[in-house]
Amino acid sequence: MDIVDIRALEGPNIYSPKPVIRMLVDVGEFEDIPTRDIQGFNRRLLEKLPGLAAHHCCFEEPGGFLIRLEEGTYIPHVIEHVALELLNLLGQDVKFGRARRLEKTTYSIVFGYTGKFAALEAGRLAVRLVDALVRGCDINLEGELERIARYSAEMELGPSTAAIEREARSRGIPVTRVGDGSLLILGYGAHQKRVEATITGETSCVAVDIACNKTLTKKMLTLAGIPVPEGTVVCTEEEAIRAAKELGFPVVVKPVDGNQGMGVSLNLKSDAEVAEAFRLAAGYSPRIIVERYIRGRHYRVLVVGGRFVCAAERIPAHVVGDGIRSIRDLIEEVNRDPMRGEKHEKPLTKIKVDPVVLRVLARRGYTLDTVPGKGEVVFLRENGNLSTGGTAVDVTDLVCPENRLTAERAAAMVGLDVAGIDITTEDISIPIGESGGAVIEVNAAPGIRMHLYPSMGKPRPAAKAIVDMLFPQEPRRFPLVAVTGTNGKTTTVRMVARILSAHGLKVGMTCTDGVYVGGMCIKKGDCSGPESGKMVLLDPSVEAAVLEVARGGLIRGGLAYETADVGIITNITGDHLGQDGVNTLEDLMFVKSLVAEQVKPEGYAVLNADDITSVEVKKRVRSRVIFFSLQEDNLVLRKHMAEGGRGVYVKEGVIIFHEGEEAVPLMKVADIPAAMNGRARHNVQNALAAAAAGWALDVPGETICRALSDFRCDESTNPGRMNIISDGGVRIILDYGHNPAALEAVIGTARAMNPARMVGVIASPGDRRDDAIVKLGQVAGKGFQRIIIKEDEDLRGRKPGEVAALLLEGALSAGLKKDQIDVILKEEEAIAFALENAQEGDLIVIFYEHYDSAMKAIREALRRRRKTPAAARIV
């Protein structure tokens, strides 16, 4: 068994609105063998994973999968359930899964997840495990699960960052994680905010530098009259001892630029202790602080946006004796708490035994083998950092107003928008100016685990405070329009982008020829997948996005976003059938309907009332709907409007916006250059869809009119879509049509231009079914008086000449004679032949593969044509 492909679909996808793992697995020889016929397999499987017996499968009660096993299910189905069970064992509560044959022995296996990194590994392990069990082999499952758990803990978001993510999502703000660290982008485009751990995009670099320099921090606080411990900076062990004596014992020794309590030693009472502490601190910084020790409890106060949020008392790592076990054993017991992780991945961190712990124990005359008395509390460190195994108790309600204000002033003096203020005092309810307490440190990027998950007391909304600061009001509207369909997607995308640009917004756009920001192409190529969409959505200059969403991207990558304001489906006709498990028009509708399904409830799905398959999509949407039609009397449209829905249609050559009893004329079709006075019916439909999107986004009607009036099918506005080039007595239409419906639309438009003769230069993508390629040839054979058949440079698995032969078959079956057809496989040569041998009054329709090379071939052929006498041409 081999995994052909495995990926995480992190956004809504055709399988689920929630994230899933999609694996393509070649099961090879085990494709048609039911589990009951694999000797001992069911027994070995259930021994290894007894939890499978409780899976419901297609039944409503536990045990359903067991029934399927006994009846004899198939290996892809087993892999699906094994992956789910592995994730359950790893702590992910997931149940959704699907297994479906794609082709031959390759299956698509899909299952849900809550943690991506563990899920990808679980998928791989599921295949290895099932492969081993069918062959009677074994696998160290416990070891593998431990490996995945460790890897996942390192890679997934920690509690603090995850809390910020949850808070943002809870208020409808999309969240994008960048890379494998803690960097999150909240929101889209120009309205996005960034946060990494608790450092935000608003955090001052200068403030962070000040906070990281403990000496500079103390000077800033002293300027504000905030109590801080007296101290000095030293560089040698001798200087440290001398400074301690001058200050008077006890003292604290710590690195100037340390963090998380690393290298910090407290309550030092002798020269020897200072010397040892200096050596420890020197491992973290060449410059060391020696300062007076402030007696009292250790508190962390969180200040966000200049305001006190919450506070916790930090309790140093410790164990409680039972009179039986050693300190070593007690530490091991504490570390078995599932709430403790290796680093910051869980609410608490495991206690690690290091020289600091050994020194603290030694000062009490203890070792790791000492057995404390029952109930005796043995502190292992003197600082209460959670990162060194400490715990926290919420004391928010105990902090007096004066200490709250002191913390706020400390954060302001350093300049941090999110700050952790460390205060040592005997009682946080008494002002530190009276209690002899002091501000010990001001921390940038403070951890908020202690406030979210205190060991005692009430959890506090620390993450909410951060998101509130970043988004003090409702997030500004970011118009997001997604367009899918079989034909017309790119032109519709460009029209909508034109409308939003005319509305004063900087628009990011993706389509089949590139990614555009503010009208500038930043990437060329077919950019109709989710990665291109993310490129636009995360661009900090973009104020609105219009995304073309193709079938392949939907299947293989899902959507780049969670919800859109408008989802347009131009039409759904037979194309790409037989690929990726999409075999029928209903399958294709199911795939493309995702764009309409993921529209916000208050948004609009824009559907083509003239296309019966698109009409069916309405049953799947949860948003409002706008139907568009070329005909006022379309029954679907009329019924929808009678029920109070919005409709956009053409009446007597005028586009009408209709809602309720009100029918408002928008503009004449004749005023849209791309519609060619109504002859280009497909572009009229595209304009209707684009106008509906503008209406849905509350763009004024006059703005929509201005944008569509300026939209032309030329090289600058709509390159490669119905581009008309005139040269002397010959006209050329250049278009991207590559399926029968597209050819029919272009041929209909061309015929309305009343040419003397129509010549087609045609091709078909090689990954279409044979019958679809023949059908395309038939459409061309009926529509043109002469055909030049070419082939795409990318044959998509076909042999040279194979596609051309199928097109020739179709054209001949439509009634064309052999002498009316030429086969010239290279695109540039076919274009040159068509133009160099065109007759006066001909209309040459060229369906290209590569726009730039096709335009170059056209220009060169026209230049040669001008130099060649008409009598010398072959016609």
Side-chain angles (χ1 to χ4, degrees), residues 761-773:
V761 181
I762 68 167
S764 172
D767 57 0
R768 303 315 195 257
R769 293 191 312 206
D770 287 2
D771 60 338
I773 298 175

Side-chain angles (χ1 to χ4, degrees), residues 16-60:
S16 168
K18 297 180 179 179
V20 300
I21 300 298
R22 178 181 185 250
M23 293 195 302
L24 301 186
V25 180
D26 186 346
V27 297
E29 61 191 285
F30 298 102
E31 180 204 3
D32 293 323
I33 304 177
T35 51
R36 66 170 182 267
D37 292 345
I38 303 174
Q39 188 174 7
F41 172 76
N42 289 357
R43 174 183 53 77
R44 292 192 296 271
L45 178 66
L46 292 170
E47 286 175 354
K48 208 70 176 175
L49 292 171
L52 288 171
H55 284 214
H56 290 212
C57 196
C58 56
F59 299 87
E60 294 183 1

Side-chain angles (χ1 to χ4, degrees), residues 157-165 197-198 344 446-450 452-453 463:
L157 292 176
S160 297
T161 311
I164 294 172
E165 179 191 35
T198 56
H344 299 152
I448 57 174
R449 288 187 296 166
M450 67 187 77
L452 299 170
Y453 307 101

